[in-house]
Amino acid sequence: MLHRKIKKKRRGALLPKKGKRKAAKAGSRRSPAPIAPVRLRQELADGRDSQKFHSPYLADNPTSDTPVRSAPAPDAVARILRFEESDPFKVLGPHPARSGPGVIIRAFLPRAAKAWVYPLKGNKEREPMEKICPEGFFQAVFTNADEIFPYTIGTCDQAGFLKEAGDPYAFFPDQLSDYDLYLIGEGTHHRSYEKFGAQLLSLKGVRGVFFTVWAPNAKSVGLVGNFNHWIQGAHPMTRLPFSSVWGLFIPGLEEGEVYKYAIRSAVDGQVRLKTDPYAFGTELRPGSASVVTRLDTFSWSDEAWMAARKQKDLFRSPVSIYEVHLGSWKREEKDGWGFLNYRDLAHQLVEYVRFMGYTHIELMPVMEHPLDESWGYQVINYYAPTRRFGSPRDFMYFVDYCHKNGVGVILDWVPAHFPRDGHGLLDFDGTQIYASGSWRRAEQREWGTLVFDFGKKEVDNFLLSNALFWLDRYHVDGLRVDAVACMLYLDYARQPGEWEPNKYGGRENLEAIEFLKEFNRVVHASFPGVLTIAEESTAWPGVSRPAHLGGLGFSMKWNMGWMHDMLEYFSKDPLFRKYHQGMFPFSTGYAFSENFILPISHDEVVYGKRSLLEKMPGDDWQKFSNLRLFLAYLFAFPGKKLLFMGNDFAQRNEWNSHQSLDWHLMQAPRHRRVNRMLRDLQRLYKEQPAFHEGDCSGHAFEWIDCSDADHSVLSFLRWSRDYGQVLVFVFNMTPVILENYRVGVPRPGHYQEIFNNQASEYGGCGLGNLGGLHAEEAPWQNRPFSLVLRIPPLGALIFRLQI
């Protein structure tokens, strides 16, 4: 957008002289960058005229008797003024005169006192525009023009401010092909983020922004922002032919421009201001406008990581995930703000993650959300990282820095439901186009949100493209899909009478099931090596089995049953644990039915559930011993690992999203020693093949004995994939020292004690087996050899057979 300076010139110097009715042929003005010739629509002039016209830019051999468009009908102008026109190109922009040569240019400029057209071709001078109605409708007639020509429009408002810009209605928004629109309607345009939203581009040499939005039940749609003083109807968009998509190219707009869509509903006639569902950037809350943003200016340097990711078999590799809420991991209370920037977080977080030995960071949702207390799970802008921590390029830096330091990044993704905020997807065009029209299917009363309608292909397309967007533009390594059970079941968190059955009378959401299968098919085909993880809390079968075999197609699933059972067991007084010994063999009954992750997530340390440390029974010594025992069992049991921040140094308080973790506890000996023990467990988990290669395979796990309820002792074996390595795990779930406890083992030799959770370095009592012992040739527990152990109280021991 060009702004004309008026210094050292009298204001009238740019104004036409009195009585001057048309531009002089002699003389020329210096032109800015050339504007592309317009492409005129070949359709009825005013909706009633049976004659069509042809632009000389569309016809190779225009003739002088080509039919031309008529002047606008009064009702067409009135529709523009009332912001009710669905095809403003019929009225605004350049049009051939009704008869003979000549061009008419019309514009709606509600803030302009005066306006001019500046031809950019030939020697034509500016032409004053006639204000044909007080609301700001202007028109200029070029009687001697024999074809449509490129131009800009200059305006002068009541304050004397002059501005010059290209005319949006000289550029028909045809950047979406018929094939694009077909794929979107079919739900298979997996790169729709390259077409929708605010796309910075150049049309035949003219820079600007092309806006596109889906609003099938809108009567009219317009753009509002600082560029037009937020006047509704100042920039009406056009409905693209035979579609529910609206578009407009505005020349001169640049990155950083804020905007919203003004949508007048055809249902109730009301105008709603909506953020762009495809916006790449947003204002910082409480602002809710979208921001024109480029994503192609960041220089990535993670090529080696991305290439290696395609080849890695994560099912047979160690996967240890650190779940993080960026707003409360660490805070710096400067000027009352507190949040760290993505770049600062990258350096501090990666340093800690590498120190601890985690393989991945899982971020609670970073997509833009208005309410801090939602932790990001009530998303408004699915394509924009939240501004709380910086810009989109800052977040790219975060991911890139993680990759350069060997750390993967997984994002929590929320395709199940969306919030009711007025500027979001709710009643987007006056109707529920993103949710079902039936409240029995739309409302998620437990969270006060609305469930996406997976029966609409445009909604599926929006969500599938969003998943690919984060993998493509931000190089993330996985998506943890939130609230899968809410998607699978129509009666989830609903009482009888509050839900509608599917077409077969069942409670399964058939459309959501197909969506999840397609999501996994597309993601794994497009980005090999990427993880898709389901947070699914029911017994739905085959969640992590391939879709072509009847599964949902996820890579992995959270083992919610194991998590609930184990936390319940370890919270019990050791005196009564013998009555619950059956929890352990029960958990192995389904441990390999899916590719499981063992999650100790944020949900378990909030809302009165107490911190992991405070869940443990007994005095402080017993609490810390039980916590070390639990963490050791978490790493010993088959399955990938996930720990929420703070659990790895035994934070005593519940998680509070409004403040930093209690990092000062790392200076306290007991907390620091828990942290050290966990680091050593991470190292063993990664270094010992038998510790991780069979996480998703039952052939690598064997119970030695899970039936000794009287002593509350467990023992089992884990093998490497080639059976070359074997580890022996023994757990004492009581605070009693067990002397001369015999455990059967499969092979002779020396068994080295490689881990003891009661080592003095970890804050324990220091009892153990002096670094290891030899197997005796004494059959026990159906094994040909056995070890005679000293098991410390609340002890966890790991032995490795020396080869």
Side-chain angles (χ1 to χ4, degrees), residues 731-749:
F731 296 88
N732 176 11
M733 303 299 184
T734 68
V736 178
I737 301 173
L738 298 177
E739 300 280 2
N740 301 316
Y741 191 92
R742 189 175 291 274
V743 174
V745 293
R747 294 175 180 175

Side-chain angles (χ1 to χ4, degrees), residues 190 315 413 415 460 463-464 467-468 471 478-481 484 487-488 512-535 540 542-548 550-557 594:
H190 299 148
F315 301 103
W413 186 52
D460 292 350
L463 293 170
L464 284 173
L468 296 176
L471 302 170
L479 296 171
R480 198 277 294 191
V481 181
V484 172
M487 302 171 68
L488 293 176
I513 293 167
E514 289 307 311
F515 167 81
L516 290 172
K517 290 180 178 180
E518 182 66 10
F519 155 74
N520 283 297
R521 277 193 291 260
V522 171
V523 166
H524 293 311
S526 303
F527 297 93
V530 159
L531 285 173
T532 60
I533 303 168
E535 187 223 10
W540 188 279
V543 171
S544 59
R545 296 296 179 255
H548 68 273
L552 295 181
F554 284 93
S555 308
M556 298 177 185
K557 173 186 174 178
E594 303 275 6

Side-chain angles (χ1 to χ4, degrees), residues 182-231:
Y182 171 79
L183 292 179
I184 291 164
E186 190 183 52
T188 58
H189 199 308
H190 299 148
R191 294 291 192 277
S192 61
Y193 54 85
E194 296 177 351
K195 299 292 184 177
F196 278 77
Q199 302 289 336
L200 280 155
L201 49 82
S202 179
L203 292 185
K204 297 183 179 179
V206 180
R207 293 286 300 170
V209 179
F210 177 55
F211 296 92
T212 314
V213 66
W214 176 58
N217 301 306
K219 186 173 187 178
S220 59
V221 180
L223 284 154
V224 292
N226 293 337
F227 53 90
N228 62 12
H229 300 270
W230 298 89
I231 298 175

Side-chain angles (χ1 to χ4, degrees), residues 145-185:
D146 54 3
E147 63 180 11
I148 304 296
F149 53 85
Y151 64 91
T152 59
I153 293 178
T155 60
C156 177
D157 64 17
Q158 296 291 344
F161 181 74
L162 299 178
K163 182 173 69 174
E164 182 181 343
D167 183 3
Y169 303 96
F171 303 86
F172 186 73
D174 56 358
Q175 279 63 49
L176 265 73
S177 67
D178 291 341
Y179 189 55
D180 288 322
L181 295 172
Y182 171 79
L183 292 179
I184 291 164

Side-chain angles (χ1 to χ4, degrees), residues 6-37:
I6 59 175
K7 290 183 178 180
K8 299 183 180 180
K9 293 186 179 181
R10 60 184 178 87
R11 184 174 298 173
L14 295 178
L15 306 183
K17 295 181 180 179
K18 290 183 179 180
K20 191 171 183 179
R21 300 188 56 147
K22 60 183 179 179
K25 294 184 179 180
S28 65
R29 57 186 291 273
R30 185 176 181 179
S31 301
I35 301 289

Side-chain angles (χ1 to χ4, degrees), residues 691-712:
F691 225 134
H692 60 256
E693 287 185 350
D695 274 340
C696 302
S697 176
H699 79 273
F701 176 89
E702 295 179 29
W703 281 114
I704 297 174
D705 185 13
C706 60
S707 62
D708 190 0
D710 287 339
H711 293 101
S712 294

Side-chain angles (χ1 to χ4, degrees), residues 475-732:
H475 292 199
V476 301
D477 304 292
L479 296 171
R480 198 277 294 191
V481 181
D482 182 66
V484 172
C486 173
M487 302 171 68
L488 293 176
Y489 296 100
L490 295 169
D491 62 346
Y492 182 86
R494 293 181 172 93
Q495 299 300 318
E498 294 180 353
W499 61 280
E500 292 179 358
N502 61 36
K503 61 184 179 180
Y504 302 115
R507 65 192 186 111
E508 298 82 9
N509 190 333
L510 304 178
E511 294 82 8
I513 293 167
E514 289 307 311
F515 167 81
L516 290 172
K517 290 180 178 180
E518 182 66 10
F519 155 74
N520 283 297
R521 277 193 291 260
V522 171
V523 166
H524 293 311
S526 303
F527 297 93
V530 159
L531 285 173
T532 60
I533 303 168
E535 187 223 10
E536 205 284 311
S537 55
T538 73
W540 188 279
V543 171
S544 59
R545 296 296 179 255
H548 68 273
L549 297 179
L552 295 181
F554 284 93
S555 308
M556 298 177 185
K557 173 186 174 178
W558 276 17
N559 195 337
M560 309 287 280
W562 180 92
M563 178 268 296
H564 284 295
D565 287 349
M566 291 303 103
L567 288 179
E568 180 184 353
Y569 178 89
F570 279 90
S571 67
K572 293 184 181 299
D573 189 312
L575 181 65
F576 304 108
R577 286 177 176 171
K578 64 181 180 180
Y579 302 112
H580 303 277
Q581 186 84 356
M583 285 186 173
F584 295 102
F586 176 75
S587 67
T588 55
Y590 59 84
F592 306 104
S593 62
E594 303 275 6
N595 301 322
F596 277 125
I597 293 175
L598 308 180
I600 307 300
S601 72
H602 64 277
D603 280 327
E604 310 315 315
V605 293
V606 73
Y607 291 150
K609 295 181 181 179
R610 298 175 295 169
S611 68
L612 200 55
L613 177 65
E614 289 299 323
K615 291 178 190 292
M616 302 299 153
D619 58 20
D620 239 26
W621 185 91
Q622 290 194 61
K623 284 182 183 293
F624 277 91
S625 291
N626 274 294
L627 177 60
R628 294 196 304 273
L629 180 63
F630 173 75
L631 292 173
Y633 189 74
L634 166 70
F635 272 79
F637 195 79
K640 307 308 179 184
K641 320 303 175 187
L642 180 142
L643 268 179
F644 182 57
M645 61 185 196
N647 288 329
D648 51 8
F649 61 81
Q651 174 154 315
R652 192 176 293 274
N653 294 322
E654 273 192 350
W655 170 52
N656 184 341
S657 63
H658 293 292
Q659 65 185 43
S660 172
L661 294 179
D662 297 332
W663 288 105
H664 62 278
L665 293 177
M666 287 286 281
Q667 307 305 315
R670 283 181 173 172
H671 296 269
R672 186 171 64 251
R673 288 165 182 165
V674 169
N675 186 261
R676 177 177 177 179
M677 186 204 76
L678 196 60
R679 294 203 311 272
D680 287 348
L681 275 173
Q682 300 265 30
R683 176 178 52 80
L684 290 172
Y685 176 62
K686 292 195 289 187
E687 291 178 354
Q688 306 301 320
F691 225 134
H692 60 256
E693 287 185 350
D695 274 340
C696 302
S697 176
H699 79 273
F701 176 89
E702 295 179 29
W703 281 114
I704 297 174
D705 185 13
C706 60
S707 62
D708 190 0
D710 287 339
H711 293 101
S712 294
V713 172
L714 298 170
S715 54
F716 54 82
L717 304 174
R718 293 194 64 183
W719 298 87
S720 62
R721 183 184 177 191
D722 60 1
Y723 291 93
Q725 184 187 71
V726 63
L727 298 177
V728 179
F729 297 82
V730 182
F731 296 88
N732 176 11

